[in-house]
Amino acid sequence: MKTFFVVFSILIFSSTAVSQPYWEQVMTTPHYINSITESSSGKILATDYTGVLYSSVDAGDSWSAHDFGPAFLISYIGANTNGDIYIAFRYYGLYKSTDDGISWNPVPSFPSGLTLSSVAFNASGHIFVSSLGYTGAFRSTD
C-alpha cells in the first residue's frame, strides 16, 4: 500500500508540473509593443509606439521590421475576418492593408484630424474606431 501511495503521488505531482502554463518571450525591442494581431494568413503583426511594424511568418521565431518613422505613432493594429488589416496612427488616421501588411493606404472615408486609440471588429463586419478626446467612437463597414 505504501508503494502504491508513493507511485500515485509521483504521478500526480509530475503531471501537475508538466501541465503548468509556459510563456516564452519571442521578441525584444527597445520600445514597448503596444498592439499585436494575427492576419488571416497566420502572419503575426506587432507594433510599437514609435512607428515600427514588426511581422513574423514563423509564429514568432524570427521578425522583420518596417519603420513608418517616428512621426507615425501607432496606437493599434488589428485584422478582420475578411483578411484586411488596419493600423490606427495616433495623429495620421486609419490605414488599411489588403495584401497581408505589405502595403498600406489611408482609409479615405475616415474623418481626418483625430487622435486614434483603438480599433475593433464585430461578426457583422463593422469596424469600430475610438479616438482620444471628446470625439468618441466611429463605426463603418469600409
Side-chain angles (χ1 to χ4, degrees):
M1 183 66 163
K2 186 176 183 181
T3 304
F4 172 76
F5 179 72
V6 169
V7 170
F8 181 74
S9 297
I10 290 172
L11 288 174
I12 293 297
F13 289 119
S14 65
S15 67
T16 303
V18 172
S19 66
Q20 293 298 314
Y22 173 73
W23 288 89
E24 174 186 10
Q25 185 172 5
V26 294
M27 177 183 19
T28 57
T29 68
H31 307 286
Y32 69 85
I33 298 297
N34 61 348
S35 191
I36 193 164
T37 193
E38 181 181 15
S39 73
S40 60
S41 72
K43 182 188 284 186
I44 306 298
L45 299 154
T47 61
D48 74 18
Y49 70 92
T50 66
V52 179
L53 169 67
Y54 302 92
S55 62
S56 175
V57 295
D58 55 11
D61 289 334
S62 62
W63 295 85
S64 60
H66 174 79
D67 192 346
F68 286 100
F72 287 89
L73 303 176
I74 299 173
S75 300
Y76 179 85
I77 188 167
N80 67 14
T81 56
N82 298 335
D84 301 326
I85 306 167
Y86 291 83
I87 285 184
F89 289 103
R90 182 65 55 113
Y91 305 113
Y92 289 97
L94 187 64
Y95 279 61
K96 178 180 177 179
S97 174
T98 58
D99 58 6
D100 211 33
I102 296 169
S103 62
W104 297 90
N105 296 299
V107 175
S109 61
F110 193 78
S112 62
L114 301 174
T115 304
L116 304 184
S117 59
S118 187
V119 180
F121 311 95
N122 71 10
S124 299
H126 290 105
I127 304 158
F128 298 87
V129 178
S130 65
S131 65
L132 300 174
Y134 298 103
T135 54
F138 300 84
R139 178 182 69 193
S140 178
T141 55
D142 185 12

